[in-house]
Amino acid sequence: MDPVPALDEPLKKVLGPATAKVMAEHLGLHTVGDLLHHYPRRYEERGQLTHLADLPMDEHVTVVAQVADARLHTFASSRAPRGKGQRLEVTITDGSGRLQLVFFGAGVHKPHKELLPGTRAMFAGKVSVFNRRLQLAHPAYELLRGDAEETVETWAGALIPIYPATAKLESWKIGKALQTVLPSAQEAADPLSEPLREGRGLVTLPEALLKIHRPHTKADIEEARARLKWDEAFVLQVALARRRHADAQLPAVPRRPRPDGILAAFDDRLPFTLTEGQRKVSEEIFADLATDHPMHRLLQGEVGSGKTMVALRAMLAVVDAGGQAAMLAPTEVLAQQHHRSVTEMMGDLAQGGMLGGADDATKVVLLTGSMGTAARRQALLDLATGEAGIVIGTHALIEDKVQFHDLGLVVVDEQHRFGVEQRDALRGKGKQPPHLLVMTATPIPRTVAMTVFGDLETSVLDQLPAGRSPIASHVVPAADKPHFLARAWERVREEVEKGHQAYVVCPRIGDEEDGAKAKKKSPEDEAEKRPPLAVLDTAEQLARGPLAGLRVDVLHGRMPPDDKDAVMRRFAAGEVDVLVATTVIEVGVNVPNATAMVIMDADRFGVSQLHQLRGRVGRGSAPGLCLLVTEMPEAGPARQRLNAVASTLDGFELSRIDLEQRREGDVLGQAQSGTRSSLRMLAVIDDEEVIAEAREEATRIVAADPDLERLPALRTALDALLDEEREQYLEKG
């Protein structure tokens, strides 16, 4: 008998170089273990066929069906002028619908002999439309005969696994490769201790792998899924629990505000009362700041819920205790805006060392990449001497030249815009690890918070401050109903006539050079894939057309920083009626007089991003209006997404929809780690209970045995999950 390959054996040795190359390039599978963890997407039953009625357009599908009819046609063409061209049309059915298969030229001979009426087979190909009917052109197929020994063996069991496949590698070829490596499943080391496994009624890992790939019953599939889901949740939560445990061992300087310090002076001057939510979250933060290990807290708040106020009070508490606080913003526009609003809120408390500054005042400095040399030198000096208690800046804060006198708190605004390395570099600037407060206006469902931000404690601000107005949102179907778009521009004019202002958001800037080099496309492609609308073109068309006579200006990320700041100042001062911009306005831009927003090609943005953008209007006492313009057809998924955004202002509800539509991607942050998804079974939205239980269990195990010395197989599983990139990602989290 052949020896069983080990799980870390390269697939090249086991399956041969050609198959291994396709698996590595198209599916990211390199070893026997990788292939064993490439689970079926679904299962077909012999007696029950895929619903042909539900086939998705343009996707690679695998169907099991019966040939109803097969006809060979001859035709004349440029290649076969004397009517010698051949086309085979095969109709297959599954009871729910019918589907046409077509084969041309020399490709007709084999299927013509094999695909006779009554034959059953698996077919794989890309779904397209021809003459308004769905079809598969030149699909690959595998006959399902009950007689040939090999076929019976290959398709043994009533359930046929259908694998995530690619055009280069059909599902059944992956299935055959799995038959080759399946004996190795017996070698899989089980990361769960026996008491834990038995206490949860879970099967062993080797058994789960066998049952997921070769199930005999639906119960087999359920048992395997329950076990593999638990493993993914548990190993991930152990990684996060170890991270939290390590953080709890780090020393930090406790920072307690003085009863008569700058925070008390600031609170005394507030012209409004804090919301209940702001008070509660501030208490949680102050309690964390007073401990002698670093705070790691995530502050989630709906757009406009007053997160900046909470963060500023935390920064003032640290200044009171003799430390410095740094706020990291993702863009210059936002850093400048934060700096302006913080100095305005603080008044003379922000004028430390200056004439007219209050007794308790500190200095608030701005540090961005585009500052002049003199201003920059002064800012760096103020930080090094401790003269500046608060600094607000962009990535420029992270540079080596920036030295702090005593960094006590780092506030990261809009976490999802920063790589972990950047956060880490800033945290490394404290004499001891500083406290960390991460803010996001993108609401995160609880389960995602437990996974992506599993090393952070979470606070949620869900009340809007008094005086905020509701925002009405509508989808504008520009292709179906062009007069709706004309009405949208009339609405913008009406808002301006009332003394308000408006934003128009476009996905692209418009000064890119790639347009000329674009490849020739078919007319259908052109309609489907025209370039997204651009700021510069749109602004020009609006100023000449529907918004003629209004003061229209543009804002985008490639403008020089001084120009960007000047435009924002003019807009904030009411000197610009309509600002045509890219998503640079997505975060933190606060102009209470702006009441209308038109988002062009809204289908090109994600759900959470649309929600963020919409939060820029309705910030004053007048109601807000957000119009989502799209050319996408009514029945498609893009329109469903936009309808969802228009139907609710609840960011948490939208973030669930967003996640369900995008599928999770890699919960450990694919952008940061570049490796493929670690989650194959676990659905972050649906498996909330599994994740919560795994988190409790992981916390308990790590508290008792932080280095997992008594659980070597769990340690191995952890190493497999946390290849080096991931390990660093979590380390720096």
PDB file of all heavy atoms in Angstrom, residues 703-728:
ATOM      1  N   ALA A 703      -6.126  31.995  30.155  1.00  0.00           N
ATOM      2  CA  ALA A 703      -5.859  32.458  31.527  1.00  0.00           C
ATOM      3  C   ALA A 703      -5.132  31.363  32.311  1.00  0.00           C
ATOM      4  O   ALA A 703      -4.219  31.632  33.102  1.00  0.00           O
ATOM      5  CB  ALA A 703      -7.169  32.820  32.220  1.00  0.00           C
ATOM      6  N   ALA A 704      -5.506  30.102  32.068  1.00  0.00           N
ATOM      7  CA  ALA A 704      -4.903  28.987  32.824  1.00  0.00           C
ATOM      8  C   ALA A 704      -3.550  28.581  32.250  1.00  0.00           C
ATOM      9  O   ALA A 704      -2.676  28.101  32.976  1.00  0.00           O
ATOM     10  CB  ALA A 704      -5.855  27.792  32.796  1.00  0.00           C
ATOM     11  N   ASP A 705      -3.360  28.767  30.932  1.00  0.00           N
ATOM     12  CA  ASP A 705      -2.141  28.254  30.287  1.00  0.00           C
ATOM     13  C   ASP A 705      -1.785  29.161  29.111  1.00  0.00           C
ATOM     14  O   ASP A 705      -1.987  28.807  27.949  1.00  0.00           O
ATOM     15  CB  ASP A 705      -2.440  26.809  29.812  1.00  0.00           C
ATOM     16  CG  ASP A 705      -1.231  26.153  29.145  1.00  0.00           C
ATOM     17  OD1 ASP A 705      -0.134  26.744  29.169  1.00  0.00           O
ATOM     18  OD2 ASP A 705      -1.402  25.049  28.591  1.00  0.00           O
ATOM     19  N   PRO A 706      -1.230  30.372  29.399  1.00  0.00           N
ATOM     20  CA  PRO A 706      -1.020  31.374  28.341  1.00  0.00           C
ATOM     21  C   PRO A 706      -0.171  30.861  27.178  1.00  0.00           C
ATOM     22  O   PRO A 706      -0.388  31.236  26.040  1.00  0.00           O
ATOM     23  CB  PRO A 706      -0.299  32.518  29.063  1.00  0.00           C
ATOM     24  CG  PRO A 706      -0.567  32.312  30.513  1.00  0.00           C
ATOM     25  CD  PRO A 706      -0.802  30.854  30.721  1.00  0.00           C
ATOM     26  N   ASP A 707       0.820  30.007  27.458  1.00  0.00           N
ATOM     27  CA  ASP A 707       1.694  29.541  26.372  1.00  0.00           C
ATOM     28  C   ASP A 707       1.212  28.238  25.751  1.00  0.00           C
ATOM     29  O   ASP A 707       1.900  27.648  24.914  1.00  0.00           O
ATOM     30  CB  ASP A 707       3.128  29.370  26.880  1.00  0.00           C
ATOM     31  CG  ASP A 707       3.722  30.724  27.259  1.00  0.00           C
ATOM     32  OD1 ASP A 707       3.327  31.723  26.617  1.00  0.00           O
ATOM     33  OD2 ASP A 707       4.531  30.783  28.191  1.00  0.00           O
ATOM     34  N   LEU A 708       0.051  27.750  26.196  1.00  0.00           N
ATOM     35  CA  LEU A 708      -0.552  26.522  25.665  1.00  0.00           C
ATOM     36  C   LEU A 708       0.408  25.333  25.767  1.00  0.00           C
ATOM     37  O   LEU A 708       0.469  24.486  24.866  1.00  0.00           O
ATOM     38  CB  LEU A 708      -0.985  26.725  24.201  1.00  0.00           C
ATOM     39  CG  LEU A 708      -1.885  27.931  23.926  1.00  0.00           C
ATOM     40  CD1 LEU A 708      -2.200  28.027  22.439  1.00  0.00           C
ATOM     41  CD2 LEU A 708      -3.179  27.851  24.713  1.00  0.00           C
ATOM     42  N   GLU A 709       1.176  25.298  26.862  1.00  0.00           N
ATOM     43  CA  GLU A 709       2.150  24.200  27.005  1.00  0.00           C
ATOM     44  C   GLU A 709       1.455  22.850  27.130  1.00  0.00           C
ATOM     45  O   GLU A 709       1.979  21.828  26.690  1.00  0.00           O
ATOM     46  CB  GLU A 709       3.044  24.454  28.230  1.00  0.00           C
ATOM     47  CG  GLU A 709       4.067  25.547  27.940  1.00  0.00           C
ATOM     48  CD  GLU A 709       4.760  26.051  29.196  1.00  0.00           C
ATOM     49  OE1 GLU A 709       4.462  25.508  30.285  1.00  0.00           O
ATOM     50  OE2 GLU A 709       5.590  26.960  29.071  1.00  0.00           O
ATOM     51  N   ARG A 710       0.256  22.866  27.742  1.00  0.00           N
ATOM     52  CA  ARG A 710      -0.440  21.583  27.930  1.00  0.00           C
ATOM     53  C   ARG A 710      -1.271  21.203  26.702  1.00  0.00           C
ATOM     54  O   ARG A 710      -1.906  20.163  26.685  1.00  0.00           O
ATOM     55  CB  ARG A 710      -1.348  21.656  29.174  1.00  0.00           C
ATOM     56  CG  ARG A 710      -0.558  21.900  30.463  1.00  0.00           C
ATOM     57  CD  ARG A 710      -1.398  21.637  31.703  1.00  0.00           C
ATOM     58  NE  ARG A 710      -2.410  22.664  31.930  1.00  0.00           N
ATOM     59  CZ  ARG A 710      -2.146  23.863  32.481  1.00  0.00           C
ATOM     60  NH1 ARG A 710      -0.901  24.172  32.825  1.00  0.00           N
ATOM     61  NH2 ARG A 710      -3.113  24.742  32.671  1.00  0.00           N
ATOM     62  N   LEU A 711      -1.259  22.074  25.665  1.00  0.00           N
ATOM     63  CA  LEU A 711      -2.090  21.803  24.475  1.00  0.00           C
ATOM     64  C   LEU A 711      -1.251  21.978  23.200  1.00  0.00           C
ATOM     65  O   LEU A 711      -1.468  22.904  22.410  1.00  0.00           O
ATOM     66  CB  LEU A 711      -3.287  22.771  24.445  1.00  0.00           C
ATOM     67  CG  LEU A 711      -4.262  22.652  25.624  1.00  0.00           C
ATOM     68  CD1 LEU A 711      -5.144  23.881  25.713  1.00  0.00           C
ATOM     69  CD2 LEU A 711      -5.118  21.403  25.485  1.00  0.00           C
ATOM     70  N   PRO A 712      -0.264  21.099  23.000  1.00  0.00           N
ATOM     71  CA  PRO A 712       0.649  21.296  21.855  1.00  0.00           C
ATOM     72  C   PRO A 712      -0.061  21.300  20.501  1.00  0.00           C
ATOM     73  O   PRO A 712       0.314  22.043  19.595  1.00  0.00           O
ATOM     74  CB  PRO A 712       1.625  20.106  21.964  1.00  0.00           C
ATOM     75  CG  PRO A 712       0.966  19.123  22.888  1.00  0.00           C
ATOM     76  CD  PRO A 712       0.074  19.904  23.796  1.00  0.00           C
ATOM     77  N   ALA A 713      -1.128  20.482  20.357  1.00  0.00           N
ATOM     78  CA  ALA A 713      -1.801  20.433  19.045  1.00  0.00           C
ATOM     79  C   ALA A 713      -2.530  21.750  18.762  1.00  0.00           C
ATOM     80  O   ALA A 713      -2.633  22.190  17.617  1.00  0.00           O
ATOM     81  CB  ALA A 713      -2.787  19.261  19.001  1.00  0.00           C
ATOM     82  N   LEU A 714      -3.032  22.396  19.816  1.00  0.00           N
ATOM     83  CA  LEU A 714      -3.691  23.699  19.645  1.00  0.00           C
ATOM     84  C   LEU A 714      -2.644  24.737  19.229  1.00  0.00           C
ATOM     85  O   LEU A 714      -2.873  25.584  18.369  1.00  0.00           O
ATOM     86  CB  LEU A 714      -4.378  24.120  20.948  1.00  0.00           C
ATOM     87  CG  LEU A 714      -5.045  25.494  20.949  1.00  0.00           C
ATOM     88  CD1 LEU A 714      -6.056  25.636  19.819  1.00  0.00           C
ATOM     89  CD2 LEU A 714      -5.749  25.759  22.291  1.00  0.00           C
ATOM     90  N   ARG A 715      -1.487  24.645  19.835  1.00  0.00           N
ATOM     91  CA  ARG A 715      -0.368  25.546  19.499  1.00  0.00           C
ATOM     92  C   ARG A 715      -0.021  25.407  18.009  1.00  0.00           C
ATOM     93  O   ARG A 715       0.187  26.381  17.293  1.00  0.00           O
ATOM     94  CB  ARG A 715       0.801  25.145  20.398  1.00  0.00           C
ATOM     95  CG  ARG A 715       2.101  25.895  20.247  1.00  0.00           C
ATOM     96  CD  ARG A 715       2.044  27.264  20.814  1.00  0.00           C
ATOM     97  NE  ARG A 715       2.230  28.216  19.734  1.00  0.00           N
ATOM     98  CZ  ARG A 715       2.626  29.457  19.882  1.00  0.00           C
ATOM     99  NH1 ARG A 715       2.830  29.954  21.064  1.00  0.00           N
ATOM    100  NH2 ARG A 715       2.775  30.249  18.860  1.00  0.00           N
ATOM    101  N   THR A 716       0.002  24.141  17.522  1.00  0.00           N
ATOM    102  CA  THR A 716       0.312  23.887  16.104  1.00  0.00           C
ATOM    103  C   THR A 716      -0.766  24.500  15.206  1.00  0.00           C
ATOM    104  O   THR A 716      -0.467  25.120  14.184  1.00  0.00           O
ATOM    105  CB  THR A 716       0.382  22.361  15.846  1.00  0.00           C
ATOM    106  OG1 THR A 716       1.248  21.793  16.832  1.00  0.00           O
ATOM    107  CG2 THR A 716       0.930  22.049  14.468  1.00  0.00           C
ATOM    108  N   ALA A 717      -2.034  24.315  15.606  1.00  0.00           N
ATOM    109  CA  ALA A 717      -3.135  24.868  14.799  1.00  0.00           C
ATOM    110  C   ALA A 717      -3.036  26.389  14.755  1.00  0.00           C
ATOM    111  O   ALA A 717      -3.327  27.033  13.744  1.00  0.00           O
ATOM    112  CB  ALA A 717      -4.475  24.449  15.393  1.00  0.00           C
ATOM    113  N   LEU A 718      -2.625  26.957  15.878  1.00  0.00           N
ATOM    114  CA  LEU A 718      -2.482  28.408  15.967  1.00  0.00           C
ATOM    115  C   LEU A 718      -1.387  28.875  15.010  1.00  0.00           C
ATOM    116  O   LEU A 718      -1.539  29.865  14.297  1.00  0.00           O
ATOM    117  CB  LEU A 718      -2.099  28.764  17.408  1.00  0.00           C
ATOM    118  CG  LEU A 718      -2.445  30.149  17.896  1.00  0.00           C
ATOM    119  CD1 LEU A 718      -3.921  30.409  17.740  1.00  0.00           C
ATOM    120  CD2 LEU A 718      -2.058  30.290  19.369  1.00  0.00           C
ATOM    121  N   ASP A 719      -0.277  28.136  14.997  1.00  0.00           N
ATOM    122  CA  ASP A 719       0.823  28.503  14.105  1.00  0.00           C
ATOM    123  C   ASP A 719       0.385  28.429  12.644  1.00  0.00           C
ATOM    124  O   ASP A 719       0.798  29.221  11.810  1.00  0.00           O
ATOM    125  CB  ASP A 719       2.031  27.580  14.324  1.00  0.00           C
ATOM    126  CG  ASP A 719       2.635  27.792  15.715  1.00  0.00           C
ATOM    127  OD1 ASP A 719       2.365  28.863  16.303  1.00  0.00           O
ATOM    128  OD2 ASP A 719       3.337  26.904  16.219  1.00  0.00           O
ATOM    129  N   ALA A 720      -0.484  27.448  12.354  1.00  0.00           N
ATOM    130  CA  ALA A 720      -0.946  27.307  10.974  1.00  0.00           C
ATOM    131  C   ALA A 720      -1.838  28.492  10.594  1.00  0.00           C
ATOM    132  O   ALA A 720      -1.766  29.015   9.494  1.00  0.00           O
ATOM    133  CB  ALA A 720      -1.718  26.006  10.816  1.00  0.00           C
ATOM    134  N   LEU A 721      -2.692  28.909  11.533  1.00  0.00           N
ATOM    135  CA  LEU A 721      -3.568  30.062  11.262  1.00  0.00           C
ATOM    136  C   LEU A 721      -2.723  31.325  11.157  1.00  0.00           C
ATOM    137  O   LEU A 721      -2.874  32.144  10.272  1.00  0.00           O
ATOM    138  CB  LEU A 721      -4.587  30.249  12.387  1.00  0.00           C
ATOM    139  CG  LEU A 721      -5.380  31.552  12.297  1.00  0.00           C
ATOM    140  CD1 LEU A 721      -6.454  31.450  11.241  1.00  0.00           C
ATOM    141  CD2 LEU A 721      -6.016  31.915  13.623  1.00  0.00           C
ATOM    142  N   LEU A 722      -1.815  31.471  12.113  1.00  0.00           N
ATOM    143  CA  LEU A 722      -1.025  32.696  12.156  1.00  0.00           C
ATOM    144  C   LEU A 722       0.299  32.465  11.471  1.00  0.00           C
ATOM    145  O   LEU A 722       1.304  32.311  12.125  1.00  0.00           O
ATOM    146  CB  LEU A 722      -0.766  33.093  13.615  1.00  0.00           C
ATOM    147  CG  LEU A 722      -2.017  33.167  14.472  1.00  0.00           C
ATOM    148  CD1 LEU A 722      -1.643  33.460  15.907  1.00  0.00           C
ATOM    149  CD2 LEU A 722      -2.934  34.236  13.956  1.00  0.00           C
ATOM    150  N   ASP A 723       0.267  32.376  10.150  1.00  0.00           N
ATOM    151  CA  ASP A 723       1.544  32.366   9.476  1.00  0.00           C
ATOM    152  C   ASP A 723       2.188  33.692   9.867  1.00  0.00           C
ATOM    153  O   ASP A 723       1.577  34.530  10.506  1.00  0.00           O
ATOM    154  CB  ASP A 723       1.362  32.225   7.965  1.00  0.00           C
ATOM    155  CG  ASP A 723       0.350  33.224   7.439  1.00  0.00           C
ATOM    156  OD1 ASP A 723       0.392  34.363   7.931  1.00  0.00           O
ATOM    157  OD2 ASP A 723      -0.470  32.882   6.586  1.00  0.00           O
ATOM    158  N   GLU A 724       3.407  33.906   9.444  1.00  0.00           N
ATOM    159  CA  GLU A 724       4.130  35.043  10.034  1.00  0.00           C
ATOM    160  C   GLU A 724       3.430  36.377   9.856  1.00  0.00           C
ATOM    161  O   GLU A 724       3.358  37.182  10.755  1.00  0.00           O
ATOM    162  CB  GLU A 724       5.538  35.116   9.451  1.00  0.00           C
ATOM    163  CG  GLU A 724       6.528  34.421  10.362  1.00  0.00           C
ATOM    164  CD  GLU A 724       7.864  34.278   9.701  1.00  0.00           C
ATOM    165  OE1 GLU A 724       8.405  35.312   9.286  1.00  0.00           O
ATOM    166  OE2 GLU A 724       8.346  33.146   9.598  1.00  0.00           O
ATOM    167  N   GLU A 725       2.864  36.581   8.656  1.00  0.00           N
ATOM    168  CA  GLU A 725       2.216  37.878   8.420  1.00  0.00           C
ATOM    169  C   GLU A 725       1.090  38.106   9.420  1.00  0.00           C
ATOM    170  O   GLU A 725       0.941  39.166   9.984  1.00  0.00           O
ATOM    171  CB  GLU A 725       1.613  37.898   7.018  1.00  0.00           C
ATOM    172  CG  GLU A 725       2.651  38.039   5.936  1.00  0.00           C
ATOM    173  CD  GLU A 725       1.995  37.930   4.573  1.00  0.00           C
ATOM    174  OE1 GLU A 725       1.475  36.858   4.240  1.00  0.00           O
ATOM    175  OE2 GLU A 725       2.010  38.941   3.872  1.00  0.00           O
ATOM    176  N   ARG A 726       0.279  37.035   9.619  1.00  0.00           N
ATOM    177  CA  ARG A 726      -0.847  37.178  10.529  1.00  0.00           C
ATOM    178  C   ARG A 726      -0.365  37.398  11.954  1.00  0.00           C
ATOM    179  O   ARG A 726      -0.932  38.170  12.695  1.00  0.00           O
ATOM    180  CB  ARG A 726      -1.686  35.903  10.541  1.00  0.00           C
ATOM    181  CG  ARG A 726      -2.618  35.813   9.419  1.00  0.00           C
ATOM    182  CD  ARG A 726      -3.224  34.446   9.516  1.00  0.00           C
ATOM    183  NE  ARG A 726      -3.654  34.049   8.200  1.00  0.00           N
ATOM    184  CZ  ARG A 726      -4.730  34.528   7.630  1.00  0.00           C
ATOM    185  NH1 ARG A 726      -5.477  35.377   8.227  1.00  0.00           N
ATOM    186  NH2 ARG A 726      -5.061  34.141   6.431  1.00  0.00           N
ATOM    187  N   GLU A 727       0.676  36.659  12.326  1.00  0.00           N
ATOM    188  CA  GLU A 727       1.196  36.777  13.695  1.00  0.00           C
ATOM    189  C   GLU A 727       1.551  38.238  13.933  1.00  0.00           C
ATOM    190  O   GLU A 727       1.194  38.838  14.930  1.00  0.00           O
ATOM    191  CB  GLU A 727       2.428  35.879  13.843  1.00  0.00           C
ATOM    192  CG  GLU A 727       2.993  35.793  15.249  1.00  0.00           C
ATOM    193  CD  GLU A 727       2.104  35.000  16.208  1.00  0.00           C
ATOM    194  OE1 GLU A 727       2.223  33.767  16.293  1.00  0.00           O
ATOM    195  OE2 GLU A 727       1.294  35.662  16.883  1.00  0.00           O
ATOM    196  N   GLN A 728       2.243  38.833  12.936  1.00  0.00           N
ATOM    197  CA  GLN A 728       2.634  40.239  13.097  1.00  0.00           C
ATOM    198  C   GLN A 728       1.400  41.116  13.150  1.00  0.00           C
ATOM    199  O   GLN A 728       1.320  42.049  13.916  1.00  0.00           O
ATOM    200  CB  GLN A 728       3.485  40.677  11.901  1.00  0.00           C
ATOM    201  CG  GLN A 728       4.868  40.086  11.946  1.00  0.00           C
ATOM    202  CD  GLN A 728       5.571  40.258  10.617  1.00  0.00           C
ATOM    203  OE1 GLN A 728       5.016  40.772   9.663  1.00  0.00           O
ATOM    204  NE2 GLN A 728       6.804  39.808  10.561  1.00  0.00           N
TER     205      GLN A 728
END
